Amino acid sequence: MPVTVLLVDDEPLVRAGLRAVLEAQPDIEVVGEAADGAAVIPLVRRLRPDVVAMDVRMPLLDGIEATRALLRTVDAPPKILVVTTFENDEYVYGALRAGADGFLLKRARPAEIVHAVRLVAEGESLLFPASVRRLAAEYGEEGGNRAARAVLERARLTEREGEVLRLMARGLTNAEIAARLVVGTETVKSHVSAVLAKLGARDRTQAVIAAYESGFVAPG
Amino acid sequence: MPVTVLLVDDEPLVRAGLRAVLEAQPDIEVVGEAADGAAVIPLVRRLRPDVVAMDVRMPLLDGIEATRALLRTVDAPPKILVVTTFENDEYVYGALRAGADGFLLKRARPAEIVHAVRLVAEGESLLFPASVRRLAAEYGEEGGNRAARAVLERARLTEREGEVLRLMARGLTNAEIAARLVVGTETVKSHVSAVLAKLGARDRTQAVIAAYESGFVAPG
DNA sequence: GACCCGCTCCCCCGCGCGGGGGAGGCGGGT
DNA sequence: ACCCGCCTCCCCCGCGCGGGGGAGCGGGTC
């Protein structure tokens, strides 16, 4: 049985492109399209797709709200793949926080798009696509922490949030981080929440994974 | 002010060796020695060392019990560095679980020993020394998961525990892991607890860090 | 047969974590 | 003067996590 996909994007051109790429696969079937977030829920109820490829910026109901509504009102909801133009879109992080399973850049190569759909359909999350992982490599070994800085910028982490993430990635608890930074635990909690939101992580474990996968911290 | 160290080992030779290595450093001072775990607590109360270098296998009171007792009865307890002969010693994991801050191989080079003492004195934990981290490199890139298998063996993780750790390192919750493995959440909790104990990790975040640091899972 | 071990599932319990709010100070930018 | 981003701290709340037990079962060893 093929993977069924519902396309949600306000630009017909993008929908057509995604459809062309996905329909070229024998095991992927596009079962419907929607032009805005408001139309998604009834369509999902009727078509029951495995995956919804959802734009973030849309009229009426944006991708974040649509994702939230979908997960709240539909039982056995489909996997949600957030489609965006910018790697740096805060809306993406909002959508991931709302429960989306991964994100996908519009300028990704067809093979990557297909791969992303298959992955989320299998239940994998795709928070840190290859493009992000390659950062460290791009900057080279001798870049020192230039790659880390780049990731910082992409995720728009503040300096303090970066410090907190680094300590999280050393296995410290909030209380220990607070002691280390000589601030209150509530302050650390604020920073941690900000880091989770910006990285699209659900908990500190996923944030640490993100730190390793992005090259923000390196093993050894 | 120098880092003060208390040596606890039943073998005088080992104590002498550690003392020679550490005293060679201007910023490290060995303030006392003990031959078994039972003598540790009163000595710590009197000498108030920054670091206790503690053997695991000792008569009367072993390193695990001594660590536990120390942390329970002494306020502002010193950092505890577990000293062992075998990388594979389950006692080590027990000691780490009991609250020790790091472990150290007796066959480590002097520079490594000094480094370890300074690190734990600064409040860093040292769960995964360089010797373990180098595993992946030893086995080479084309080793595939041979390095991972080696780590598995060293930590004595069972096959199932290895699967669970791998899923933890993908950011899954216990419930999600349970669904993936088609078992109950209580079962997963058992495996997770076993993994934490064997890796000397305090929580799943530290376990994931261990997985990355040891090469059990690799970024990218 | 007795034994150990790995996998499975169950109980109770405390606590750290993370969500969702808000709020004040402080420096920089227009 | 104004706003805004950052850092700091506070509240309440639910839940997942991890610790501490125990227990049954199959498969291997001795």
Side-chain angles (χ1 to χ4, degrees):
Chain A
M1 46 211 288
V3 175
T4 55
V5 183
L6 172 65
L7 307 179
V8 187
D9 198 307
D10 57 324
E11 299 172 22
L13 187 63
V14 173
R15 295 203 304 272
L18 284 172
R19 180 180 279 271
V21 166
L22 295 175
E23 290 280 20
Q25 302 300 316
D27 61 326
I28 298 181
E29 187 183 345
V30 176
V31 293
E33 297 185 9
D36 62 76
V40 171
I41 292 180
L43 264 178
V44 166
R45 282 227 168 83
R46 186 148 55 82
L47 302 171
R48 305 218 67 83
D50 299 316
V51 178
V52 174
M54 175 112 67
D55 193 12
V56 252
R57 298 171 181 265
M58 287 184 298
L60 292 182
L61 198 65
D62 67 26
I64 302 175
E65 290 305 323
T67 298
R68 214 187 304 272
L70 207 48
L71 295 179
R72 202 176 48 227
T73 63
V74 178
D75 36 23
K79 303 295 178 180
I80 298 171
L81 192 56
V82 175
V83 180
T84 181
T85 306
F86 313 104
E87 305 187 22
N88 227 348
D89 197 333
E90 296 111 341
Y91 282 63
V92 175
Y93 302 120
L96 293 172
R97 293 296 302 148
D101 299 283
F103 77 91
L104 180 62
L105 293 175
K106 284 181 183 173
R107 64 170 161 282
R109 287 171 292 125
E112 289 181 335
I113 293 173
V114 169
H115 180 62
V117 169
R118 289 213 185 91
L119 268 187
V120 297
E122 288 168 8
E124 294 291 334
S125 57
L126 196 73
L127 304 179
F128 307 98
S131 56
V132 177
R133 289 180 190 162
R134 284 188 210 116
L135 256 184
E138 285 174 24
Y139 280 81
E141 288 291 343
E142 72 282 357
N145 48 22
R146 245 186 306 167
R149 278 219 311 277
V151 172
L152 260 179
E153 287 162 18
R154 296 212 183 197
R156 297 184 191 282
L157 289 188
T158 68
E159 191 180 346
R160 204 56 159 171
E161 288 160 1
E163 289 184 71
V164 170
L165 176 56
R166 226 177 285 274
L167 294 173
M168 278 195 270
R170 306 189 82 141
L172 305 196
T173 63
N174 288 339
E176 289 169 342
I177 295 173
R180 190 72 66 94
L181 298 182
V182 200
V183 296
T185 58
E186 296 300 326
T187 302
V188 174
K189 286 180 64 178
S190 294
H191 292 314
V192 169
S193 291
V195 169
L196 298 185
K198 290 183 178 179
L199 294 181
R202 189 171 47 191
D203 48 48
R204 67 201 299 110
T205 305
Q206 287 195 351
V208 169
I209 293 170
Y212 275 101
E213 293 292 337
S214 67
F216 181 69
V217 298
Chain B
M1 45 211 289
V3 175
T4 54
V5 183
L6 171 66
L7 307 179
V8 186
D9 197 308
D10 56 324
E11 298 172 26
L13 187 64
V14 173
R15 295 203 302 272
L18 283 172
R19 179 180 279 274
V21 167
L22 295 175
E23 292 280 18
Q25 301 301 316
D27 61 328
I28 298 180
E29 188 183 346
V30 176
V31 293
E33 296 185 11
D36 61 75
V40 171
I41 291 181
L43 265 178
V44 166
R45 282 229 169 81
R46 186 150 54 83
L47 302 172
R48 306 217 68 81
D50 299 316
V51 177
V52 175
M54 175 113 65
D55 194 11
V56 252
R57 297 170 183 266
M58 288 184 298
L60 294 181
L61 197 65
D62 67 25
I64 301 175
E65 290 305 323
T67 298
R68 214 187 305 271
L70 208 48
L71 295 179
R72 202 176 48 227
T73 63
V74 178
D75 36 23
K79 304 295 179 179
I80 297 171
L81 193 56
V82 175
V83 180
T84 181
T85 307
F86 314 103
E87 305 188 21
N88 226 350
D89 196 333
E90 296 110 341
Y91 283 62
V92 175
Y93 303 119
L96 293 173
R97 293 296 301 150
D101 299 282
F103 77 91
L104 180 62
L105 293 175
K106 285 181 183 172
R107 65 170 162 282
R109 287 171 291 126
E112 288 181 334
I113 293 173
V114 169
H115 181 61
V117 169
R118 288 212 186 93
L119 268 187
V120 297
E122 289 169 8
E124 295 290 332
S125 56
L126 198 72
L127 305 178
F128 306 96
S131 57
V132 177
R133 287 178 191 164
R134 287 189 207 113
L135 256 184
E138 284 173 23
Y139 281 80
E141 286 291 343
E142 72 283 357
N145 48 21
R146 244 186 306 167
R149 277 218 313 277
V151 172
L152 258 181
E153 287 161 19
R154 296 213 182 196
R156 297 186 192 282
L157 290 188
T158 68
E159 191 181 345
R160 204 54 158 172
E161 289 159 1
E163 291 184 69
V164 170
L165 176 56
R166 226 177 286 273
L167 293 174
M168 277 194 269
R170 305 187 83 143
L172 304 197
T173 63
N174 289 338
E176 288 168 344
I177 295 173
R180 190 71 65 94
L181 299 181
V182 200
V183 296
T185 57
E186 297 299 327
T187 303
V188 174
K189 284 179 64 178
S190 294
H191 292 313
V192 169
S193 291
V195 169
L196 297 185
K198 289 182 178 180
L199 294 181
R202 189 171 48 191
D203 48 47
R204 67 203 296 113
T205 304
Q206 287 195 350
V208 169
I209 293 170
Y212 275 101
E213 293 292 336
S214 67
F216 181 71
V217 300

